[in-house]
Amino acid sequence: MTSTESRSMPTDMVTVVTHPLVRHKLTHLRARTTSTAGFRRLVRELSLLLAYEATRDLKLEPVTIETPQETMEGEELSGKKLCFVSILRAGNGILDGMLDLIPSARVGHIGLFRDPETLEAVEYYIKLPDDIGDRICIAVDPMLATGHSAVAAIDRLKNAGCNSIIFVCLLAVPQGIACLQKAHPDVRIITCSIDRELDDHGYICPGLGDAGDRLFGTK
C-alpha cells in the first residue's frame, strides 16, 4: 500500500480511502441499528473526508500575506473552481458535508431514478451552473451499484461541456466500477469501500441498505 497523508489505496483511476476514521465511521454507517439522525451525521462526516481526498490535486499559487508578526509567502487555490453535482436524491447527503469543507463551490443537481424492471436510470430533473465547463466537477452519489445512474449523470455533465469530472461515492461494487470505467474511462472514482456484489434487486452486498431511505427516514 502506498503511504500517503490520507492513507488511500490508489489503483489506476479508482481510489479506496482506507483512513482509520473512514473505516470506523463506515462500519457504524452500515449497521442496521444506526438511527436516521446518526446515519445523516456519519454520511456528512464521511463526505468531508472524501472531499479532502477528491481535492488533493487542486492547484495552488503563491500569495503574500501579513501575519501578526511579519510578511510571508503563503499559498491559495488557483485555476479552475469547483462544482459539486448531487445525483438526487441521496447525493444530497454527501453534498452537505462537502460544502462544509468548500462552502464557495457551485452546486448542480441531476435527478435520476432507477427503473425497477430494467435498472436503467431515468432523468426527471437537471439544473447545472452555466459555466460548468470551466469548473472541476465532483459528482456525488452514495452508491455505485449497477453504474447506470453514474454513467447517465456523467453523460449529462459532458453534454453540458464539463470535461474534468471526479465521481465520489460511499460504496461501490466491481460491476458498477466496470460499467462507469467502460463508458467514461477518464473519470476518477473515489470510494470508501469496494463491496462484494449486487443482489438480485441491484442492491450492494454487504452494503448499507437504501442510502436515500436511511438518510430521509423513508421506506
Side-chain angles (χ1 to χ4, degrees), residues 101-171:
L101 186 66
I102 310 175
S104 62
R106 296 294 187 268
V107 175
H109 294 88
I110 299 177
L112 301 167
F113 68 87
R114 186 173 61 177
D115 185 289
E117 299 297 327
T118 65
L119 302 183
E120 296 291 332
V122 180
E123 177 187 321
Y124 65 88
Y125 180 81
I126 184 167
K127 184 70 172 180
L128 303 171
D130 292 337
D131 63 347
I132 197 167
D134 299 324
R135 297 178 178 273
I136 297 171
C137 290
I138 299 178
V140 299
D141 193 357
M143 319 295 271
L144 180 56
T146 64
H148 297 155
S149 293
V151 168
I154 292 169
D155 284 344
R156 287 153 177 80
L157 289 175
K158 289 187 174 180
N159 289 340
C162 188
N163 54 24
S164 181
I165 303 168
I166 300 169
F167 183 82
V168 176
C169 58
L170 298 174
L171 300 181

Side-chain angles (χ1 to χ4, degrees), residues 194-206:
I194 300 176
D195 278 15
R196 187 180 66 251
E197 63 186 358
L198 297 177
D199 67 14
D200 293 339
H201 302 287
Y203 286 97
I204 292 176
C205 295

Side-chain angles (χ1 to χ4, degrees), residues 50 61 74 77 116-117 128 147 157 175 178 185:
L50 288 169
E61 62 184 8
L77 293 175
E117 299 297 327
L128 303 171
L157 289 175
Q175 178 181 335

Side-chain angles (χ1 to χ4, degrees), residues 29-30 39 142-143 171 203-214:
L29 190 74
R30 291 181 187 273
F39 193 89
M143 319 295 271
L171 300 181
Y203 286 97
I204 292 176
C205 295
L208 49 75
D210 186 296
D213 284 344
R214 295 195 68 185

